[in-house]
């Protein structure tokens, strides 16, 4: 504005009338147009290359668009200073109101959002474990265990097909519920990954520090891997039944009564697996509740009076020592289930299943005696091997979930016992985090929360090779002299000018100036000011996006919201015009 006013002063005759001295001036218009083009090009190039600066770039865009379109009509520096001050006060008033709302009226911080997602993630884990238990309960309905019920070998074929279809429908329903629960948990994990960055950077008043938040995220991520693997059991069972080499029960290959006894044995095995899973999932459910209580995410339950006659009882959620109880139960579960499965297999002549099963899948099954007994025995071992390995895989995943939850239980108990939750205090982000944040803003790099690994914790760094390094340019050898290194710096200029960010800045500048040009022409200048065409420029600048899909979505959103706002403004103006007192005030103004 100052440069435009000086151009007006240098091109206006000393004795010019006020209509000329204070009216339209082409030199002032050209100067403001040049600065508007430069500002639009620079800020939109920066907005395209630094996505995190989108909101500040919008503020800068609106401020400069209003300033440089009203700048040509500013006659003196005092008028320009007063106009800029009022515009600045309008922006600062909006920031002050939004800050007051964020701090006092609706105080929702990034840490609060992250902790809410942590609670949702742990609650979804509880739901997923219960869905897994229901899935195990109907595992005998699958084709892997032969959907014919024990004791119904003499039913008609039509009735048997109806029974198979009904039991298969129950199995598919429980498996679908398991997949939905797993998908919901993974969705929350994805949100945690995005929000942990902002929660770690935030200055807050609370209990947990930035390091605690990072450890919680890492422990939750360790839980995600094994607990999400539980939902793959249904897919494995389905692929087992769809495999072309899956042995089918046949009355010719097995004597009468053998397959019936085999089904009874496997149904009994499923019942035992369900019982052991029921006990462990109940303990895991209490462990997750213990974590929520220990981290002050949920209120502690009311203390129940102890019954002295019962003697020692297991610790309840929220009590210290629950981690030792979980560890003891986990080790008992693993030892008992391994011993029971091995004993069960040895009693049925399937001890070789625990040693190797490669021969069952790759070895030929054509060796048989004249009566075909050898072939039946091989088919029996193949089917038993697959069933046992599914059960072993399920129990190993459950054991891995127990150990991952145990780590989080230990962390929660450590924080509840080291006076972390005794008193709230102001928490500032670490200097290292602030430096990474500023470096990411300058370099345009997104900070990956998984990359912030404490090397002192015993984590080994993995060498990924030369594949992730910058590829060498076959047309230019590495610089050796000072002038060659200076030439490499000069080559950065054409790379910058040919980048996508610069092209986007040029597109926005051309689009804005195609409308803004009427502000700097004598015949249309007054029309531009009176009709507030500057808002057209604002919508162009903030509505354009580097990607076409995002730009179309923003355009449609702006159209819908503008149409709704127009209806509301029309209703407001109609009601305001029919009010007598308001009409008198308008006429007075």
């Amino acid at each position: 504005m100052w440069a435009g006013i000086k151009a007006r002063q240098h091109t206006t005759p000393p004795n010019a009338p006020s209509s000329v001295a204070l009216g339209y001036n082409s030199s002032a218009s050209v100067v403001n147009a040049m600065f508007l083009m430069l500002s639009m090009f620079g800020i939109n190039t920066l907005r395209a290359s630094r996505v995190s600066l989108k909101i500040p770039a919008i503020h800068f865009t609106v401020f400069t668009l209003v300033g440089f379109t009203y700048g040509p009509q500013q006659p003196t520096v005092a008028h320009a200073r007063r106009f800029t001050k009022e515009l600045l006060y309008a922006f600062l008033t909006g920031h002050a109101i939004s800050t007051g709302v964020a701090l006092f009226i609706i105080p929702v911080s990034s840490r609060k959002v992250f902790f809410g997602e942590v609670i949702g993630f742990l609650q979804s884990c509880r739901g997923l474990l219960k869905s897994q238990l229901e899935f195990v309960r109907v595992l005998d309905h699958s084709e892997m265990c032969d959907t014919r019920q024990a004791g119904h070998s003499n039913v008609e074929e039509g009735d048997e097909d109806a029974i198979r279809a009904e039991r298969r429908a129950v199995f598919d329903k429980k498996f679908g519920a398991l997949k939905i629960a797993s998908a919901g948990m993974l969705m929350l994990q994805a949100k945690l990954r995005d929000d942990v960055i902002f929660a770690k950077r935030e200055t807050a008043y609370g209990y947990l520090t930035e390091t605690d938040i990072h450890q919680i995220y890492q422990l939750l991520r360790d839980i995600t891997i094994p607990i999400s693997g539980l939902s793959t059991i249904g897919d494995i069972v389905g692929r087992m039944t769809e495999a072309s080499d899956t042995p089918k029960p046949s009355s010719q290959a097995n004597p009468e009564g053998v397959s019936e006894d085999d089904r009874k044995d496997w149904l009994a095995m499923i019942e035992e697996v369900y019982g052991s899973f029921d006990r462990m999932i109940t303990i895991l459910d209490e462990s997750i509740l213990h974590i929520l209580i220990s981290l002050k995410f949920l209120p502690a339950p009311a203390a129940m009076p102890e019954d002295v006659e019962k003697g020692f009882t297991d610790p309840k959620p929220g009590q210290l020592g629950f981690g030792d109880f979980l560890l003891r139960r986990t080790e008992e579960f693993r030892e008992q289930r391994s011993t029971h499965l091995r004993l069960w297999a040895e009693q049925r002549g399937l001890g070789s299943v625990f040693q190797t099963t490669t021969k069952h899948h790759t070895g030929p099954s054509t060796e048989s005696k004249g009566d075909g007994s050898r072939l039946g025995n091989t088919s029996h071992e193949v089917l038993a091997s697959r069933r046992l390995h599914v059960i072993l895989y399920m129990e190993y995943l459950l054991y891995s979930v127990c150990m991952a939850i145990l780590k989080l239980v230990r962390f929660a108990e450590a924080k509840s016992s080291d006076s972390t939750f005794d008193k709230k205090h102001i928490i500032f982000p670490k200097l290292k985090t602030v430096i990474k944040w500023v470096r990411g803003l300058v370099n345009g790099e997104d900070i990956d929360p998984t990359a912030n690994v404490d090397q002192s914790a015993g984590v080994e760094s993995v060498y990924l090779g030369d594949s992730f390094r910058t590829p060498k340019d076959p047309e230019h050898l590495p610089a050796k002299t000072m002038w060659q290194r200076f030439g490499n710096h000069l080559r950065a200029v054409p790379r910058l000018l040919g980048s996508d960010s610069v092209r986007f800045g040029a597109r926005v500048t051309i689009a804005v100036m195609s409308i803004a040009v009427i502000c700097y022409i004598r015949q249309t200048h007054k029309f531009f000011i009176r009709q507030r065409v500057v808002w057209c420029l604002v919508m162009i600048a903030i509505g354009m996006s580097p990607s076409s899909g995002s730009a179309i979505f923003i355009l449609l959103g702006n159209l819908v919201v503008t149409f709704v706002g127009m209806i509301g403004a029309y209703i407001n103006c109609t009601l305001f015009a029919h009010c007598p007192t308001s009409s008198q005030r308008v006429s007075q103004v």
Side-chain angles (χ1 to χ4, degrees):
M1 287 185 183
W2 180 86
I5 293 170
K6 291 302 179 180
R8 174 188 293 273
Q9 294 174 357
H10 294 161
T11 56
T12 303
N15 299 326
S18 59
S19 60
V20 176
L22 303 179
Y24 174 82
N25 185 275
S26 60
S27 299
S29 299
V30 170
V31 170
N32 281 271
M34 293 174 60
F35 276 103
L36 178 61
M37 292 178 60
L38 181 62
S39 300
M40 289 297 100
F41 176 77
I43 193 61
N44 286 282
T45 300
L46 182 63
R47 180 161 69 100
S49 60
R50 305 292 185 268
V51 182
S52 56
L53 298 178
K54 178 180 179 180
I55 302 300
I58 291 177
H59 294 171
F60 180 89
T61 300
V62 176
F63 197 97
T64 53
L65 282 174
V66 175
F68 285 131
T69 52
Y70 284 84
Q73 63 180 1
Q74 304 299 329
T76 62
V77 177
H79 286 81
R81 184 180 292 111
R82 184 173 62 252
F83 175 81
T84 307
K85 184 185 297 184
E86 292 177 356
L87 185 60
L88 178 61
Y89 285 172
F91 271 76
L92 295 181
T93 302
H95 287 305
I97 294 175
S98 62
T99 303
V101 171
L103 294 179
F104 303 106
I105 300 179
I106 310 177
V108 179
S109 62
S110 299
R111 292 166 60 92
K112 186 176 181 180
V113 172
F114 175 77
F115 292 147
E117 292 173 352
V118 170
I119 296 174
F121 178 84
L122 292 176
Q123 296 287 15
S124 65
C125 289
R126 299 175 67 182
L128 179 59
L129 290 173
K130 293 178 181 178
S131 299
Q132 174 66 20
L133 181 62
E134 294 295 326
F135 175 76
V136 175
R137 186 69 182 89
V138 299
L139 192 60
D140 57 339
H141 290 35
S142 64
E143 295 290 343
M144 183 188 73
C145 295
D146 193 350
T147 56
R148 290 177 297 176
Q149 292 181 332
H152 292 76
S153 58
N154 297 324
V155 298
E156 297 181 359
E157 183 177 356
D159 296 337
E160 182 178 341
D161 293 338
I163 294 174
R164 284 174 176 267
E166 181 181 357
R167 292 163 66 84
R168 182 65 184 180
V170 174
F171 175 81
D172 293 339
K173 181 180 178 180
K174 298 299 181 181
F175 177 57
L178 179 62
K179 297 290 286 186
I180 292 174
S182 178
M185 186 208 63
L186 292 177
M187 186 180 298
L188 286 173
Q189 171 64 21
K191 293 181 179 179
L192 283 172
R193 184 185 184 280
D194 295 333
D195 293 335
V196 68
I197 302 175
F198 304 100
K200 290 167 58 178
R201 295 173 182 171
E202 194 172 53
T203 300
Y205 182 70
Y207 299 110
L208 299 176
T209 63
E210 173 195 349
T211 304
D212 298 334
I213 291 176
H214 180 72
Q215 291 181 357
I216 290 175
Y217 172 77
Q218 294 287 349
L219 293 172
L220 292 180
R221 191 179 64 173
D222 294 340
I223 295 175
T224 304
I225 299 174
I227 201 172
S228 60
L230 293 172
S231 61
T232 63
I233 302 299
D235 296 329
I236 295 175
V237 172
R239 284 192 290 268
M240 286 176 57
T241 57
E242 294 174 0
S244 59
D245 59 344
T246 301
K248 305 294 182 181
S250 174
S251 59
Q252 296 179 357
N254 296 296
E256 183 69 25
V258 175
S259 60
E260 186 68 24
D261 294 338
D262 186 62
R263 283 195 299 273
K264 290 181 179 180
D265 290 341
W266 279 107
L267 291 176
M269 169 62 69
I270 295 299
E271 290 293 334
E272 293 181 4
V273 171
Y274 173 79
S276 60
F277 268 60
D278 188 13
R279 291 188 294 271
M280 283 308 305
I281 289 178
T282 302
I283 296 174
L284 290 179
D285 185 78
E286 295 179 352
S287 301
I288 296 176
L289 182 61
H290 174 72
I291 294 170
L292 294 172
I293 296 174
S294 300
L295 295 177
K296 304 298 182 182
F297 292 151
L298 292 180
M304 301 296 294
E306 297 182 359
D307 190 353
V308 182
E309 296 180 356
K310 291 184 178 180
F312 176 77
T313 58
D314 296 331
K316 301 297 181 181
Q319 299 179 356
L320 293 178
F322 195 90
D324 297 333
F325 167 71
L326 175 60
L327 176 61
R328 184 170 62 254
R329 292 296 186 182
T330 302
E331 295 299 335
E332 291 177 358
F333 166 77
R334 185 178 187 182
E335 182 178 358
Q336 291 176 1
R337 291 305 305 162
S338 299
T339 304
H340 180 269
L341 283 177
R342 187 179 295 275
L343 180 62
W344 184 89
E346 290 178 354
Q347 290 177 351
R348 289 157 179 80
L350 302 173
S352 60
V353 172
F354 283 87
Q355 299 176 3
T356 177
T357 57
T358 305
K359 62 180 181 179
H360 300 319
H361 295 279
T362 60
S365 58
T366 58
E367 299 179 2
S368 61
K369 297 181 181 180
D371 56 355
S373 59
R374 178 58 182 169
L375 180 61
N377 188 26
T378 302
S379 301
H380 178 66
E381 290 182 358
V382 170
L383 183 60
S385 172
R386 292 177 176 176
R387 289 173 172 175
L388 277 176
H389 277 80
V390 169
I391 294 177
L392 288 171
Y393 181 58
M394 291 170 52
E395 293 180 350
Y396 177 75
L397 285 177
L398 185 62
Y399 173 77
S400 301
V401 172
C402 293
M403 299 307 295
I405 293 179
L406 177 62
K407 293 180 182 179
L408 188 55
V409 169
R410 297 293 194 191
F411 171 81
E413 290 181 346
K415 290 301 171 183
S416 61
S417 60
D418 63 357
S419 67
T420 299
F421 297 100
D422 292 347
K423 185 178 180 181
K424 290 185 177 181
H425 57 282
I426 299 177
I427 301 171
F428 296 97
K430 291 183 177 180
L431 180 61
K432 182 180 179 181
T433 301
V434 176
I435 293 175
K436 286 185 176 181
W437 178 32
V438 176
R439 187 181 301 166
L441 292 177
V442 174
N443 299 331
E445 299 174 354
D446 189 16
I447 299 177
D448 186 2
T450 61
N452 187 12
V453 180
D454 188 6
Q455 297 296 334
S456 61
V459 180
E460 296 182 0
S461 58
V462 180
Y463 177 69
L464 300 177
D466 298 333
S467 301
F468 293 90
R469 294 184 179 179
T470 304
K472 296 181 180 180
D473 190 353
E475 298 181 357
H476 294 84
L477 295 175
K480 296 181 179 180
T481 64
M482 181 182 65
W483 286 108
Q484 291 176 352
R485 287 190 292 268
F486 178 72
N488 286 338
H489 293 296
L490 288 180
R491 291 171 57 199
V493 176
R495 285 200 301 267
L496 174 63
L497 297 178
S499 62
D500 295 335
S501 301
V502 173
R503 285 195 290 268
F504 173 73
R507 291 201 306 268
V508 176
T509 304
I510 295 172
V512 169
M513 292 307 300
S514 64
I515 304 297
V517 66
I518 65 177
C519 176
Y520 304 110
I521 299 177
R522 181 187 301 273
Q523 291 80 1
T524 55
H525 174 70
K526 292 183 179 180
F527 170 81
F528 185 94
I529 298 299
R530 290 175 181 175
Q531 301 300 326
R532 307 294 193 269
V533 186
V534 64
W535 292 110
C536 178
L537 305 183
V538 172
M539 297 305 297
I540 292 174
I542 68 177
M544 295 185 67
S545 178
S547 59
S548 59
S550 178
I552 294 174
F553 177 79
I554 294 174
L555 173 63
L556 295 177
N558 290 338
L559 290 176
V560 173
V561 174
T562 302
F563 181 75
V564 175
M566 180 190 68
I567 296 175
Y570 178 79
I571 297 174
N572 187 24
C573 293
T574 304
L575 296 177
F576 185 78
H578 287 81
C579 182
T581 57
S582 300
S583 301
Q584 294 176 2
R585 293 177 182 176
V586 171
S587 61
Q588 293 177 1
V589 173

